[in-house]
Amino acid sequence: MLTFSIRRSSALELSVVLGIIFFLAFVFLCYFYFWVTKAKEMVLQAELRNMRIALNVYKGFNGKYPDDIRELIDREIFWTKFSHEMYKRPYLQHQRLDKDSFPIDPWNRHFVYNASTGKIFSQAKRYKNW
């Protein structure tokens, strides 16, 4: 017959083990949050670069920046290549959109767009000057 006896030091050992587990979980979560933030920053940088290129291409073809940033998604660009093949595609493809078809950043906030200057940036607190 097996018998289990509870020692007096088991509560202390249990608290030390739980403390170590919580510490390791905290370190892992901090590390995870750091890399998730870095990944979102990389996505934001790529999205801003793509939208700024699309804005400049739009201005090159139409002589002015679009009145609304959604025009880059709705309107299509036409061009020919060396073999005189016609290509047609939207100025912006694969952009994350909200339910109103407005481009959003990795933190699910709308991009801020100034139609007179063609400047676009994120509403996220730390990334307004990117």
Side-chain angles (χ1 to χ4, degrees):
M1 177 176 194
L2 292 173
T3 60
F4 296 101
S5 63
I6 299 177
R7 299 175 298 169
R8 290 187 167 205
S9 62
S10 66
L12 178 63
E13 290 172 355
L14 181 64
S15 63
V16 168
V17 169
L18 287 177
I20 292 171
I21 290 172
F22 285 133
F23 175 75
L24 291 175
F26 176 74
V27 168
F28 172 76
L29 289 176
C30 289
Y31 187 73
F32 180 75
Y33 178 76
F34 172 77
W35 285 110
V36 167
T37 303
K38 285 292 178 193
K40 285 183 178 184
E41 287 175 353
M42 291 172 57
V43 169
L44 175 65
Q45 195 173 26
E47 286 178 348
L48 285 173
R49 185 180 329 114
N50 289 339
M51 285 195 284
R52 288 172 180 155
I53 290 170
L55 284 167
N56 289 330
V57 170
Y58 185 97
K59 184 180 180 184
F61 278 105
N62 299 305
K64 67 177 185 79
Y65 289 113
D67 296 327
D68 188 10
I69 194 69
R70 291 178 277 196
E71 287 183 40
L72 296 176
I73 297 161
D74 298 336
R75 294 192 58 189
E76 293 180 331
I77 183 173
F78 298 96
W79 77 91
T80 58
K81 222 173 176 184
F82 301 114
S83 62
H84 302 293
E85 297 173 5
M86 191 66 150
Y87 288 92
K88 177 176 107 172
R89 70 174 191 84
Y91 286 93
L92 269 182
Q93 287 181 324
H94 312 295
Q95 180 65 39
R96 291 174 5 110
L97 306 173
D98 67 355
K99 61 182 176 172
D100 299 326
S101 297
F102 201 89
I104 55 175
D105 66 3
W107 291 271
N108 295 325
R109 296 185 177 110
H110 288 168
F111 284 101
V112 178
Y113 171 64
N114 185 346
S116 61
T117 62
K119 294 195 185 252
I120 189 163
F121 56 91
S122 173
Q123 287 184 3
K125 190 182 287 185
R126 291 178 42 204
Y127 308 103
K128 290 185 178 183
N129 296 326
W130 279 31

